[in-house]
Amino acid sequence: MKKQLMSKTLLLAMTLGLGACAMGPDYIRPAAPVASVVGSQPAEMSTPQWGSYFSDPALQSVIEKALINNRDLKIATARIEEARALYGIQKADFLPSVSANGSGNISRSNPDADISRRYEANLALLSYEVDFWGRVRRLSEAAKANYLASEEAQQSVRSTLIADVANSYYSAQALQTRSRFAEQTAKAREESLRVVKRRVEVGVANRLDLLQAQSAQDSAISDHSALARQAANAQTALTVLVGETVSLPAANLNAEVVQLPSGLNSTVLLERPDVRAAEQKLVAANANIGAARAAFFPKVTLMGSGGVVSNELDDLFSGGNRAWSFLPQISLPLFDGGRLSAGADIAEARKVIAVAEYEKAIQLAFKDAADVLSDQVWLSKQLTAQQRLADRQEQRLKLAEARYASGLSGYLDVLDAQREFYAASQGLIETRRARLAASAQAFKALGGK
C-alpha cells in the first residue's frame, strides 16, 4: 500500500512538472526595422543553390574542394555538434534519473559478537526537480535555440565561403589577365622603342622621342611587375581559402551571371542564415528571462528508492523483504545578497542586446541586397561604356601610330594614345571582374546554399 502511494505521488509530481506553465515572456518576433521592399517592383526570389548559380565547371570544382577543406567551415560544423550535445544534456533534465544499486555489508564489532550481515538491492530516483515554474523548460528552450543558432551560423559560414571562393577566383583570374595584358603592352612598347631608335639613327626623330619611348617601356615593365605580384598573392589567397593548390584555367570574364529582379520583398531577407542565427539567439535570450524569473520561486526536488533488503543473500528476493524511502525537498530563496535579482537583470539586458543584434542583422541584409541590385544596374551600364571606350582608344592608338609613321604628328601623340588605351583596357578587365564579384555577392546577400 505504501509502495503504491509512493508511486502515485511520483506520478503526480511528474505530471505537474511536465504540465506546469513556463514563466517569463513567450517569444514574439520583433518587427523588421527596414522597408518592406528592396529596390523597385518587388518580385519573389527563391534561395539560390550554388551548384546551379555558379555554372562554370572549373569554379564548381574549386568550390567543392573548399567545402571539404576549409578550416572555418570545419570549426562551424564542430560547434553544431557541441551545441547539439549541450541541448541533449539540458533536455535530459526533463526526465528523472533512475539507477540500480546493490550492496552488501558484513561486519563484527568485537571478537565475541555475532557477525552482522545486510544485503540490499534497489532502484533509486536521483535528485529530480519538479518543474512547477518552467525553469527547466525555459533552460531547455534556450539550449535548443542555441543549437539551432549554431546550425544557422554554420550555414552562414558556408554561404560566405562559397561567395568568397567565387570572388577570390574571379580576382585571381582578372589579375592574371591584367598581368598578361601589361606584359603584352611592354613587348609592344619594346617594338615601338626599336622603331624610334631607327628613326633617330636616320635623323627622322630626335632624342626626346627616344627618351619618351624608353620611359613608356619602363612604365609598362613596372606595371607588369606590380600586377604579376598581385596575381601571385591572389593565387595564394585562393589556395588558403580552398585548402589546397588551385590551377586556374583561362579566364572567361565575359561569363553569364544570374540576373536578379529589379526589386525584392524584404521578407526574403529573414531567411538568410545569419539573420536566422541572430533570431535563434534572441529566442534563447528570451527563454533565459523565464528561467531567471522562475529561480525566485520554491524549488521542489524529489528523491527516493524502492527495493529489497535482507540479512541473508539467499533470501534477498524472497517475499516480505521490501523496503522503500521517499525524500521530497522544497527550498525557497530568502536572502542571497541580490544574486537572483542581478541574474534576472542580466537576462533582461542580454535580451535587449539580442534584439539589437537581430535588428542589425536585418539591416545589414537589407544593405547587402540593396547594394547588389544597385551594382547590377550600374555595372551593366559601366561595362557597356567601358567597352566602347576601350574600342575607341584602340582605334585612336592605331591612327596615332600611322600618323607618326607618316610624319604627320609627333611621338607625344602616340604616347598619349598608348596610355589612354592601356588604362581603358585595364579598366575594362576590372569592370568585368566587378560584375562577376557582384554576382558572387548576390549569392551571399540572398543567403544561398
Side-chain angles (χ1 to χ4, degrees):
M1 184 67 182
K2 291 181 179 180
K3 185 177 181 180
Q4 292 177 352
L5 179 60
M6 183 187 75
S7 300
K8 291 180 179 179
T9 304
L10 289 174
L11 180 61
L12 177 61
M14 291 174 62
T15 303
L16 288 173
L18 294 174
C21 60
M23 297 199 66
D26 292 328
Y27 174 72
I28 300 176
R29 174 184 283 179
V34 294
S36 60
V37 177
V38 187
S40 60
Q41 298 179 351
E44 296 297 328
M45 184 74 184
S46 59
T47 302
Q49 306 294 315
W50 76 265
S52 56
Y53 189 88
F54 299 103
S55 58
D56 181 0
L59 176 56
Q60 289 180 345
S61 176
V62 173
I63 292 175
E64 288 175 353
K65 292 176 181 177
L67 293 176
I68 295 172
N69 299 324
N70 186 263
R71 300 305 185 269
D72 289 336
L73 187 57
K74 288 184 177 181
I75 292 171
T77 302
R79 283 176 176 158
I80 291 179
E81 299 303 320
E82 177 188 25
R84 181 185 290 120
L86 290 172
Y87 172 49
I89 292 173
Q90 187 62 55
K91 189 169 63 172
D93 287 343
F94 272 117
L95 302 174
S97 297
V98 180
S99 65
N101 302 311
S103 66
N105 183 9
I106 304 175
S107 64
R108 185 167 64 180
S109 59
N110 61 67
D112 297 328
D114 292 334
I115 296 176
S116 174
R117 294 179 174 86
R118 181 180 176 85
Y119 302 95
E120 294 184 14
N122 60 63
L123 293 177
L125 172 68
L126 303 182
S127 178
Y128 170 64
E129 179 181 346
V130 183
D131 195 24
F132 283 113
W133 320 112
R135 189 185 75 89
V136 176
R137 180 176 303 177
R138 288 303 193 190
L139 289 175
S140 179
E141 182 182 331
K144 180 181 179 181
N146 284 324
Y147 159 57
L148 295 176
S150 69
E151 282 194 327
E152 299 297 350
Q154 187 263 4
Q155 182 59 46
S156 180
V157 170
R158 188 175 186 271
S159 177
T160 300
L161 173 63
I162 292 171
D164 287 349
V165 168
N167 193 22
S168 183
Y169 178 86
Y170 296 142
S171 294
Q173 283 196 324
L175 283 167
Q176 282 192 356
T177 303
R178 292 181 62 190
S179 175
R180 283 194 292 268
F181 182 72
E183 184 179 21
Q184 294 169 0
T185 299
K187 291 179 179 179
R189 291 182 181 179
E190 182 180 4
E191 179 61 29
S192 296
L193 177 59
R194 283 196 292 268
V195 172
V196 172
K197 284 182 177 179
R198 289 196 298 268
R199 291 173 65 87
V200 170
E201 290 172 356
V202 299
V204 179
N206 55 40
R207 181 168 176 76
L208 180 59
D209 291 346
L210 179 61
L211 290 173
Q212 290 173 332
Q214 290 172 333
S215 298
Q217 186 195 19
D218 290 339
S219 177
I221 293 173
S222 175
D223 206 27
H224 169 243
S225 299
L227 289 170
R229 173 181 58 80
Q230 294 175 34
N233 291 343
Q235 178 79 32
T236 301
L238 180 60
T239 297
V240 171
L241 198 59
V242 173
E244 62 179 80
T245 303
V246 176
S247 298
L248 288 176
N252 180 20
L253 300 179
N254 289 318
E256 292 295 326
V257 297
V258 175
Q259 291 293 316
L260 302 182
S262 58
L264 297 170
N265 289 320
S266 295
T267 52
V268 72
L269 304 178
L270 300 181
E271 298 305 313
R272 275 185 31 157
D274 56 335
V275 174
R276 293 200 301 263
E279 183 175 15
Q280 289 301 328
K281 290 179 181 178
L282 174 56
V283 171
N286 186 77
N288 284 328
I289 292 177
R293 290 181 183 177
F296 285 93
F297 290 83
K299 181 178 179 182
V300 179
T301 305
L302 303 181
M303 292 183 291
S305 65
V308 292
V309 59
S310 175
N311 292 331
E312 297 295 335
L313 183 60
D314 293 341
D315 297 334
L316 182 61
F317 295 100
S318 61
N321 293 328
R322 291 191 295 264
W324 60 272
S325 67
F326 180 49
L327 303 172
Q329 295 181 352
I330 184 169
S331 62
L332 174 65
L334 297 178
F335 177 76
D336 63 359
R339 182 178 288 106
L340 291 178
S341 179
D345 290 342
I346 290 173
E348 294 282 358
R350 286 176 176 169
K351 181 183 177 180
V352 173
I353 294 172
V355 169
E357 289 178 340
Y358 173 64
E359 293 175 341
K360 181 179 178 181
I362 295 177
Q363 290 174 338
L364 179 60
F366 187 92
K367 178 182 180 301
D368 288 346
D371 288 347
V372 162
L373 295 180
S374 175
D375 288 346
Q376 181 175 269
V377 172
W378 295 109
L379 280 172
S380 178
K381 294 181 179 180
Q382 181 182 354
L383 180 61
T384 301
Q386 192 69 34
Q387 182 68 64
R388 290 198 304 265
L389 177 61
D391 291 342
R392 289 169 180 170
Q393 291 298 339
E394 184 179 17
Q395 295 173 8
R396 175 190 172 190
L397 175 59
K398 291 178 180 179
L399 181 60
E401 289 175 339
R403 287 173 60 83
Y404 176 72
S406 61
L408 297 176
S409 63
Y411 192 69
L412 187 60
D413 291 342
V414 176
L415 288 177
D416 188 50
Q418 285 179 343
R419 285 192 295 267
E420 293 295 335
F421 171 63
Y422 179 78
S425 299
Q426 291 284 13
L428 178 60
I429 297 172
E430 179 58 22
T431 304
R432 288 171 176 168
R433 182 211 62 80
R435 181 182 66 95
L436 294 173
S439 175
Q441 183 63 25
F443 176 83
K444 177 184 174 182
L446 296 176
K449 298 180 179 179

